PDB file of all heavy atoms in Angstrom:
ATOM      1  N   PRO A 597      93.853 269.691 128.432  1.00 98.00           N
ATOM      2  CA  PRO A 597      94.456 268.391 128.716  1.00 98.00           C
ATOM      3  C   PRO A 597      94.888 267.756 127.407  1.00 98.00           C
ATOM      4  O   PRO A 597      94.239 267.909 126.394  1.00 98.00           O
ATOM      5  CB  PRO A 597      93.315 267.642 129.412  1.00 98.00           C
ATOM      6  CG  PRO A 597      92.391 268.698 129.974  1.00 98.00           C
ATOM      7  CD  PRO A 597      92.477 269.813 129.005  1.00 98.00           C
ATOM      8  N   ALA A 598      95.900 266.875 127.507  1.00 98.00           N
ATOM      9  CA  ALA A 598      96.371 266.197 126.326  1.00 98.00           C
ATOM     10  C   ALA A 598      95.305 265.426 125.519  1.00 98.00           C
ATOM     11  O   ALA A 598      95.273 265.440 124.344  1.00 98.00           O
ATOM     12  CB  ALA A 598      97.500 265.234 126.677  1.00 98.00           C
ATOM     13  N   ILE A 599      94.361 264.806 126.281  1.00 98.00           N
ATOM     14  CA  ILE A 599      93.354 264.028 125.593  1.00 98.00           C
ATOM     15  C   ILE A 599      92.498 264.879 124.653  1.00 98.00           C
ATOM     16  O   ILE A 599      92.064 264.441 123.580  1.00 98.00           O
ATOM     17  CB  ILE A 599      92.490 263.198 126.573  1.00 98.00           C
ATOM     18  CG1 ILE A 599      91.800 262.028 125.930  1.00 98.00           C
ATOM     19  CG2 ILE A 599      91.518 264.088 127.314  1.00 98.00           C
ATOM     20  CD1 ILE A 599      91.196 261.025 126.882  1.00 98.00           C
ATOM     21  N   LEU A 600      92.196 266.139 125.055  1.00 98.00           N
ATOM     22  CA  LEU A 600      91.443 267.007 124.228  1.00 98.00           C
ATOM     23  C   LEU A 600      92.253 267.570 123.105  1.00 98.00           C
ATOM     24  O   LEU A 600      91.770 267.699 121.950  1.00 98.00           O
ATOM     25  CB  LEU A 600      90.827 268.162 125.127  1.00 98.00           C
ATOM     26  CG  LEU A 600      89.943 269.137 124.407  1.00 98.00           C
ATOM     27  CD1 LEU A 600      88.822 268.447 123.570  1.00 98.00           C
ATOM     28  CD2 LEU A 600      89.342 270.157 125.400  1.00 98.00           C
ATOM     29  N   LYS A 601      93.536 267.877 123.363  1.00 98.00           N
ATOM     30  CA  LYS A 601      94.415 268.314 122.285  1.00 98.00           C
ATOM     31  C   LYS A 601      94.494 267.239 121.212  1.00 98.00           C
ATOM     32  O   LYS A 601      94.528 267.463 119.991  1.00 98.00           O
ATOM     33  CB  LYS A 601      95.817 268.668 122.787  1.00 98.00           C
ATOM     34  CG  LYS A 601      96.697 269.181 121.644  1.00 98.00           C
ATOM     35  CD  LYS A 601      96.160 270.397 120.947  1.00 98.00           C
ATOM     36  CE  LYS A 601      97.052 271.114 119.959  1.00 98.00           C
ATOM     37  NZ  LYS A 601      97.990 270.439 119.177  1.00 98.00           N
ATOM     38  N   GLY A 602      94.534 265.948 121.656  1.00 98.00           N
ATOM     39  CA  GLY A 602      94.608 264.847 120.748  1.00 98.00           C
ATOM     40  C   GLY A 602      93.248 264.631 119.983  1.00 98.00           C
ATOM     41  O   GLY A 602      93.333 264.112 118.860  1.00 98.00           O
ATOM     42  N   TRP A 603      92.188 265.077 120.512  1.00 99.00           N
ATOM     43  CA  TRP A 603      90.944 265.078 119.752  1.00 99.00           C
ATOM     44  C   TRP A 603      91.046 266.093 118.624  1.00 99.00           C
ATOM     45  O   TRP A 603      90.718 265.796 117.452  1.00 99.00           O
ATOM     46  CB  TRP A 603      89.738 265.424 120.692  1.00 99.00           C
ATOM     47  CG  TRP A 603      88.409 265.478 120.115  1.00 99.00           C
ATOM     48  CD1 TRP A 603      87.585 264.434 119.883  1.00 99.00           C
ATOM     49  CD2 TRP A 603      87.723 266.648 119.638  1.00 99.00           C
ATOM     50  NE1 TRP A 603      86.376 264.844 119.272  1.00 99.00           N
ATOM     51  CE2 TRP A 603      86.420 266.236 119.126  1.00 99.00           C
ATOM     52  CE3 TRP A 603      88.001 268.024 119.608  1.00 99.00           C
ATOM     53  CZ2 TRP A 603      85.530 267.111 118.638  1.00 99.00           C
ATOM     54  CZ3 TRP A 603      87.093 268.925 119.097  1.00 99.00           C
ATOM     55  CH2 TRP A 603      85.877 268.450 118.637  1.00 99.00           C
ATOM     56  N   VAL A 604      91.591 267.275 118.948  1.00 98.00           N
ATOM     57  CA  VAL A 604      91.774 268.282 117.881  1.00 98.00           C
ATOM     58  C   VAL A 604      92.766 267.769 116.821  1.00 98.00           C
ATOM     59  O   VAL A 604      92.559 267.791 115.657  1.00 98.00           O
ATOM     60  CB  VAL A 604      92.293 269.646 118.492  1.00 98.00           C
ATOM     61  CG1 VAL A 604      92.571 270.561 117.377  1.00 98.00           C
ATOM     62  CG2 VAL A 604      91.225 270.164 119.424  1.00 98.00           C
ATOM     63  N   ASP A 605      93.946 267.282 117.350  1.00 98.00           N
ATOM     64  CA  ASP A 605      95.021 266.902 116.403  1.00 98.00           C
ATOM     65  C   ASP A 605      94.498 265.801 115.450  1.00 98.00           C
ATOM     66  O   ASP A 605      94.907 265.771 114.278  1.00 98.00           O
ATOM     67  CB  ASP A 605      96.178 266.331 117.166  1.00 98.00           C
ATOM     68  CG  ASP A 605      96.975 267.402 117.899  1.00 98.00           C
ATOM     69  OD1 ASP A 605      96.809 268.594 117.615  1.00 98.00           O
ATOM     70  OD2 ASP A 605      97.836 267.020 118.769  1.00 98.00           O
ATOM     71  N   ARG A 606      93.654 264.896 115.870  1.00 98.00           N
ATOM     72  CA  ARG A 606      93.206 263.753 115.096  1.00 98.00           C
ATOM     73  C   ARG A 606      91.986 264.032 114.300  1.00 98.00           C
ATOM     74  O   ARG A 606      91.809 263.542 113.149  1.00 98.00           O
ATOM     75  CB  ARG A 606      93.040 262.517 115.948  1.00 98.00           C
ATOM     76  CG  ARG A 606      94.385 262.047 116.638  1.00 98.00           C
ATOM     77  CD  ARG A 606      94.169 260.727 117.367  1.00 98.00           C
ATOM     78  NE  ARG A 606      93.750 259.642 116.491  1.00 98.00           N
ATOM     79  CZ  ARG A 606      92.696 258.892 116.697  1.00 98.00           C
ATOM     80  NH1 ARG A 606      91.925 259.042 117.812  1.00 98.00           N
ATOM     81  NH2 ARG A 606      92.398 257.942 115.784  1.00 98.00           N
ATOM     82  N   VAL A 607      91.041 264.864 114.820  1.00 98.00           N
ATOM     83  CA  VAL A 607      89.769 265.066 114.123  1.00 98.00           C
ATOM     84  C   VAL A 607      89.858 266.178 113.109  1.00 98.00           C
ATOM     85  O   VAL A 607      89.175 266.186 112.099  1.00 98.00           O
ATOM     86  CB  VAL A 607      88.646 265.311 115.182  1.00 98.00           C
ATOM     87  CG1 VAL A 607      87.322 265.651 114.517  1.00 98.00           C
ATOM     88  CG2 VAL A 607      88.484 264.069 116.080  1.00 98.00           C
ATOM     89  N   PHE A 608      90.594 267.199 113.414  1.00 98.00           N
ATOM     90  CA  PHE A 608      90.672 268.365 112.565  1.00 98.00           C
ATOM     91  C   PHE A 608      91.694 268.120 111.463  1.00 98.00           C
ATOM     92  O   PHE A 608      92.748 268.759 111.357  1.00 98.00           O
ATOM     93  CB  PHE A 608      91.067 269.588 113.407  1.00 98.00           C
ATOM     94  CG  PHE A 608      89.906 270.239 114.102  1.00 98.00           C
ATOM     95  CD1 PHE A 608      88.947 269.412 114.752  1.00 98.00           C
ATOM     96  CD2 PHE A 608      89.804 271.636 114.241  1.00 98.00           C
ATOM     97  CE1 PHE A 608      87.861 270.018 115.449  1.00 98.00           C
ATOM     98  CE2 PHE A 608      88.717 272.213 114.926  1.00 98.00           C
ATOM     99  CZ  PHE A 608      87.762 271.398 115.555  1.00 98.00           C
ATOM    100  N   THR A 609      91.349 267.153 110.527  1.00 98.00           N
ATOM    101  CA  THR A 609      92.314 266.751 109.563  1.00 98.00           C
ATOM    102  C   THR A 609      92.336 267.772 108.370  1.00 98.00           C
ATOM    103  O   THR A 609      91.470 268.606 108.237  1.00 98.00           O
ATOM    104  CB  THR A 609      91.929 265.421 108.884  1.00 98.00           C
ATOM    105  OG1 THR A 609      90.593 265.587 108.249  1.00 98.00           O
ATOM    106  CG2 THR A 609      91.814 264.335 109.930  1.00 98.00           C
ATOM    107  N   TYR A 610      93.350 267.621 107.580  1.00 98.00           N
ATOM    108  CA  TYR A 610      93.544 268.337 106.330  1.00 98.00           C
ATOM    109  C   TYR A 610      92.322 268.016 105.444  1.00 98.00           C
ATOM    110  O   TYR A 610      91.776 266.877 105.465  1.00 98.00           O
ATOM    111  CB  TYR A 610      94.801 267.839 105.631  1.00 98.00           C
ATOM    112  CG  TYR A 610      95.366 268.714 104.568  1.00 98.00           C
ATOM    113  CD1 TYR A 610      95.726 270.049 104.818  1.00 98.00           C
ATOM    114  CD2 TYR A 610      95.617 268.198 103.296  1.00 98.00           C
ATOM    115  CE1 TYR A 610      96.270 270.823 103.817  1.00 98.00           C
ATOM    116  CE2 TYR A 610      96.151 269.005 102.270  1.00 98.00           C
ATOM    117  CZ  TYR A 610      96.493 270.330 102.542  1.00 98.00           C
ATOM    118  OH  TYR A 610      97.042 271.066 101.554  1.00 98.00           O
ATOM    119  N   HIS A 611      91.848 268.937 104.746  1.00 98.00           N
ATOM    120  CA  HIS A 611      90.683 268.909 103.834  1.00 98.00           C
ATOM    121  C   HIS A 611      89.351 268.927 104.617  1.00 98.00           C
ATOM    122  O   HIS A 611      88.287 269.115 104.053  1.00 98.00           O
ATOM    123  CB  HIS A 611      90.677 267.681 102.854  1.00 98.00           C
ATOM    124  CG  HIS A 611      91.730 267.835 101.791  1.00 98.00           C
ATOM    125  ND1 HIS A 611      91.892 266.948 100.827  1.00 98.00           N
ATOM    126  CD2 HIS A 611      92.581 268.873 101.602  1.00 98.00           C
ATOM    127  CE1 HIS A 611      92.880 267.401 100.010  1.00 98.00           C
ATOM    128  NE2 HIS A 611      93.335 268.543 100.454  1.00 98.00           N
ATOM    129  N   PHE A 612      89.411 268.642 105.941  1.00 98.00           N
ATOM    130  CA  PHE A 612      88.174 268.813 106.807  1.00 98.00           C
ATOM    131  C   PHE A 612      88.307 270.172 107.459  1.00 98.00           C
ATOM    132  O   PHE A 612      87.413 271.008 107.249  1.00 98.00           O
ATOM    133  CB  PHE A 612      88.064 267.643 107.802  1.00 98.00           C
ATOM    134  CG  PHE A 612      86.923 267.778 108.713  1.00 98.00           C
ATOM    135  CD1 PHE A 612      85.646 267.505 108.272  1.00 98.00           C
ATOM    136  CD2 PHE A 612      87.061 268.112 110.036  1.00 98.00           C
ATOM    137  CE1 PHE A 612      84.512 267.634 109.100  1.00 98.00           C
ATOM    138  CE2 PHE A 612      85.983 268.311 110.936  1.00 98.00           C
ATOM    139  CZ  PHE A 612      84.685 268.014 110.455  1.00 98.00           C
TER     140      PHE A 612
END
Side-chain angles (χ1 to χ4, degrees):
Chain A
I599 200 169
L600 182 53
K601 183 56 171 37
W603 180 84
V604 174
D605 289 347
R606 295 186 60 234
V607 175
F608 279 40
T609 65
Y610 198 59
H611 289 182
F612 178 74

